[in-house]
Amino acid sequence: QVQLVESGGGLVQAGGSLKLSCSVSGGTIADYGMGWFRQAPGKDREFVGDISRNTGGKPFYVDSVKGRFTISRDIAKNSLYLHIDNLKPEDTAVYYCAANDYGKDTGLFEYDYWGQGTQVTVSS
């Protein structure tokens, strides 16, 4: 079965940086659209950005994170990454990666597999 495991979260002071990783097993990310989400305390899960065939293989970001968030993938390592610069307290959330399996013909905004998340806490 396909499994996604996030790592790299932690406690960081505002202004710092983190690189989150999403390791995929049981399948290859080359066959998936890959997305990052986050869920802040008391808030709904929020889409952060993605990279997929629908984005032309280039990262797409929501406006609120453009300029600070960088999504990349390493097909050889079967991993997805999210680098966050200039962390702000409002970035505090559990960050999730997710995969849209092209072979399953899943809807454009739907995801087939999810990781368990990694906690990012930003202190002021």
Side-chain angles (χ1 to χ4, degrees):
Q1 65 178 21
V2 177
Q3 186 175 33
L4 280 59
V5 179
E6 302 93 338
S7 62
L11 176 62
V12 182
Q13 192 161 273
S17 299
L18 277 177
K19 186 176 182 179
L20 309 182
S21 298
C22 173
S23 178
V24 178
S25 61
T28 174
I29 63 170
D31 295 330
Y32 307 144
M34 300 294 298
W36 282 103
F37 295 78
R38 65 183 181 182
Q39 188 166 24
K43 299 290 185 70
D44 292 333
R45 186 179 62 199
E46 174 190 22
F47 174 72
V48 171
D50 67 343
I51 181 167
S52 74
R53 62 184 180 182
N54 298 305
T55 68
K58 301 177 180 178
F60 170 83
Y61 311 95
V62 296
D63 289 342
S64 60
V65 304
K66 284 182 179 177
R68 297 193 301 115
F69 284 41
T70 302
I71 295 171
S72 62
R73 63 177 178 174
D74 188 328
I75 294 177
K77 295 182 178 179
N78 217 28
S79 296
L80 179 77
Y81 305 99
L82 174 63
H83 183 89
I84 310 174
D85 287 314
N86 191 24
L87 281 155
K88 302 177 179 180
E90 52 263 43
D91 293 323
T92 295
V94 177
Y95 284 73
Y96 301 91
C97 65
N100 174 298
D101 189 335
Y102 298 146
K104 291 182 176 292
D105 293 323
T106 305
L108 183 63
F109 301 105
E110 303 296 324
Y111 290 85
D112 299 287
Y113 314 112
W114 292 84
Q116 293 301 304
T118 185
Q119 176 71 52
V120 172
T121 303
V122 183
S123 62
S124 60

